[in-house]
Every structure is written in structure tokens, then in C-alpha cells.
Amino acid sequence: KLNIINQVADLGVYIKIVGFSLSENITPQAIKGFKELAKKADFVSREEVSQQRMLAFAPCKLGADCAFLMSPKIMLPSQKNEVFTWLEKSGFTVGLCLRTEDFLGNTESDIKRLEGFTKGLLSALKTRDAKLLLIPHHPKDIVMLKEVAVLLDRLDFTNYFLISKLPSAIEIKAYAEYCDHVITSRMHVAIATLGMKNAVTCLPYA
């Protein structure tokens, strides 16, 4: 990709790469590409860690994550959907977004892990008399969250809402604004929630 951008820059097109992050394991080939591109383009990272990594071999300014800063209110339709209607009910609200990979397959051990997780979550929800919003970020997440919903029904917990249609990024951020706390293994859902100044518990994965 850097080679393509370099070729475009050679045609005289002004290049400005904005809002990127840089891995600590950047390859020598990528470093060479960035050094070459730095003669023709400007770099603006989205956070300070990436800026410092980039400065080791090319000039880089510090910017911000646009998704983190953008308000969802300016892009949402004026008519609220059923999710917002449910969210506007009073009560402490927890959002949950799980990847299918967090509880792999349908083996007995996987099912037990999901059951244990759901029971633990339910115990925590009851201490705050909280309601639960199941938020998918990927089509596979819907499958995962449906499994959670089945377990919630089995455990006689009904104060939840499953978003069964994949929401847009801006909708996820708007839903996160209504949540008092979000539990997620999806980085972008965590970013959306932090952007709305609400608490996040991040589930790590390998």
C-alpha cells in the first residue's frame, strides 16, 4: 500500500495520512516505505505512542481519532428506533459486545465457559438492578449474543435488549452514550464508549 501511495505522490498529488496507529512491530520494509513517503507527504497520527514511533524515522504531527471525537447526534435520524426507546427507560444500563471467537465452537467446555460468564455477569447486574443491552459490531457477534440471550432467558433474566440487526458505527456510539458501563472484546466498541465518556471493561483475547 505504501508503494501505491508513493506512486500517487510522484504524480504530484498532495498526500496527508491522518488518524493512523503504528505497531511496535513495524517491518524494515515498512520503515523504508515511510521514509521515502515522508519526502512527499505529511503524517498525522491519532495518538502519541504512534507519533513517537513514527518520529524515529519520519516527521509526524499529533492529531486525534475522529471516531473518538465525533458526536453521533449530528448524523442520526431524528426519528428514534426501538433501541433508543428501550434505552430511555430508567435504570443502570450495561452494554455487552462479545466476539464469537471469545467462546469458540460448540464444545462442552466452550458452552460451560459461556454459561459461567453469563452467570457471573447476571450476578453483577442484579447488584445494581441493571438492564443489559446486547450490542453486535460484526455479523458473527449477533450469533454470539443470541446464545447469551438464550442463557439469560434460561436464568429468568428478562431485562435485556438484543440488537438483532447490525448497527452502523454511529449508532453504536449513540447506544454507548446511553450505557453507564460497556463490557466488550471489540476495540472499536471500546473506543466508541470512551468517546462518549462512559466506562469500559475490555475483555482481552489472543
Side-chain angles (χ1 to χ4, degrees):
K1 292 181 180 179
L2 285 175
N3 287 336
I4 294 173
I5 297 173
N6 262 307
Q7 291 171 16
V8 172
D10 287 339
L11 295 173
V13 178
Y14 170 64
I15 303 291
K16 189 171 188 177
I17 301 178
V18 179
F20 66 91
S21 290
L22 201 62
S23 168
E24 62 180 343
N25 299 316
I26 185 168
T27 65
Q29 184 180 3
I31 291 174
K32 181 181 178 181
F34 277 122
K35 283 182 177 179
E36 183 65 26
L37 188 56
K39 302 171 187 176
K40 321 160 193 172
D42 293 324
F43 300 113
V44 184
S45 71
R46 70 180 185 181
E47 28 78 19
E48 192 172 0
V49 173
S50 292
Q51 182 199 26
Q52 293 304 313
R53 289 171 181 163
M54 193 73 176
L55 286 172
F57 48 83
C60 182
K61 297 177 182 178
L62 180 62
D65 189 325
C66 294
F68 189 93
L69 297 173
M70 184 172 57
S71 169
K73 294 179 180 178
I74 61 173
M75 297 182 68
L76 285 172
S78 56
Q79 186 176 1
K80 294 182 178 179
N81 62 28
E82 58 181 348
V83 183
F84 290 110
T85 302
W86 183 85
L87 282 169
E88 287 173 349
K89 297 176 182 177
S90 60
F92 191 88
T93 305
V94 174
L96 177 66
C97 177
L98 295 177
R99 307 175 320 136
T100 302
E101 296 88 339
D102 296 329
F103 300 92
L104 296 172
N106 289 309
T107 67
E108 187 176 345
S109 61
D110 294 330
I111 293 171
K112 285 183 177 179
R113 283 199 309 122
L114 182 58
E115 288 177 347
F117 174 84
T118 305
K119 287 178 181 178
L121 174 63
L122 186 54
S123 178
L125 291 172
K126 287 181 176 179
T127 63
R128 295 296 301 266
D129 192 25
K131 60 183 189 286
L132 180 66
L133 179 66
L134 304 176
I135 311 169
H137 179 56
H138 184 278
K140 288 184 178 180
D141 298 352
I142 298 175
V143 176
M144 182 77 264
L145 294 173
K146 283 182 177 179
E147 291 296 321
V148 174
V150 169
L151 290 172
L152 291 173
D153 290 337
R154 193 182 301 167
L155 295 166
D156 295 323
F157 183 82
T158 58
N159 198 10
Y160 72 87
F161 191 102
L162 170 63
I163 300 174
S164 56
K165 181 181 178 182
L166 196 66
S168 66
I170 203 69
E171 286 174 327
I172 288 176
K173 193 166 187 180
Y175 299 151
E177 182 178 16
Y178 280 86
C179 293
D180 298 283
H181 196 115
V182 171
I183 301 168
T184 180
S185 52
R186 290 282 185 192
M187 179 187 70
H188 291 99
V189 174
I191 290 172
T193 306
L194 292 171
M196 302 315 296
K197 300 181 181 180
N198 286 330
V200 178
T201 295
C202 296
L203 303 177
Y205 57 89

